[in-house]
Amino acid sequence: MQEVPEEIEQVLFSSEEIQARLAVLAAEIDRDYHGRSALLVGVLKGAFILMADLARHLHGQVEFDFMAVSSYGSATQTSGVVRIMKDLDLDIAGRHVILVEDIVDSGLTLNYLLRNLRARGPASVEVMALLSKPDQIRVDLPIRYHGFTVPNVFVVGYGLDYDERYRNLPYVATLRGVDQSLDGRVIARPV
Ligand code: IMP
């Protein structure tokens, strides 16, 4: 078992809990897309671990593609204006797309991506998000496959970073030394 770094305050979802939830969600996807080929679109960088694990839980016919986005705004809060750093390789016209996100905070990033993908003429678009912060969501989003709800705190691990660190942790956790008092925004560097 991996040692928990000193900066980690609390593990919210263990590796085992995440894998168990992914197995359930993958079974739902396999059932829902039976006889149809689904195209999973991961939003980089955060979703890279989620996509890899989800892929290994899926047994049906699936294909994978990725988009990389960066949002304008502060490091820890999105403005809803998203820049596409890497677009899809595949044409999604007529395809059944599942957009895979690590975490939905305000929902603005996902909202933008959904509108962008729908404009390309897919047969369907559904959303999978491992985590969401219901108190923070500012738009009405149809999250079809949902992992866990997190309180209004900044979390790291399982693909999620603070300043590009902690993505490799196999669990989702909060950081020590982070003042969470301002709507979950990080206002102090972790020790
Ligand atoms: P939204 O547009 O506000 O929903 O923000 C979504 C993006 O912000 C996610 O894809 C993450 O990259 C980032 N984000 C939001 N909350 C957290 C967090 O608690 N930890 C790490 N990244 C986060």
Side-chain angles (χ1 to χ4, degrees), residues 43-47 69 71 75-80 82 101-111 131 133 136-138 141 150-151 153-157 159-162 167 184 186:
V43 184
L44 296 172
K45 298 178 195 170
V69 299
S71 66
T76 53
Q77 282 234 311
T78 53
S79 60
V82 174
E101 253 282 39
D102 50 2
I103 186 164
V104 179
D105 189 349
S106 68
L108 293 173
T109 305
L110 204 53
N111 199 40
L131 306 168
K133 297 180 187 174
Q136 291 282 91
I137 289 182
R138 284 157 53 184
L141 279 178
V150 283
V153 292
F154 193 80
V155 291
V156 294
L160 290 162
D161 75 308
Y162 174 73
R167 291 193 197 273
V186 175

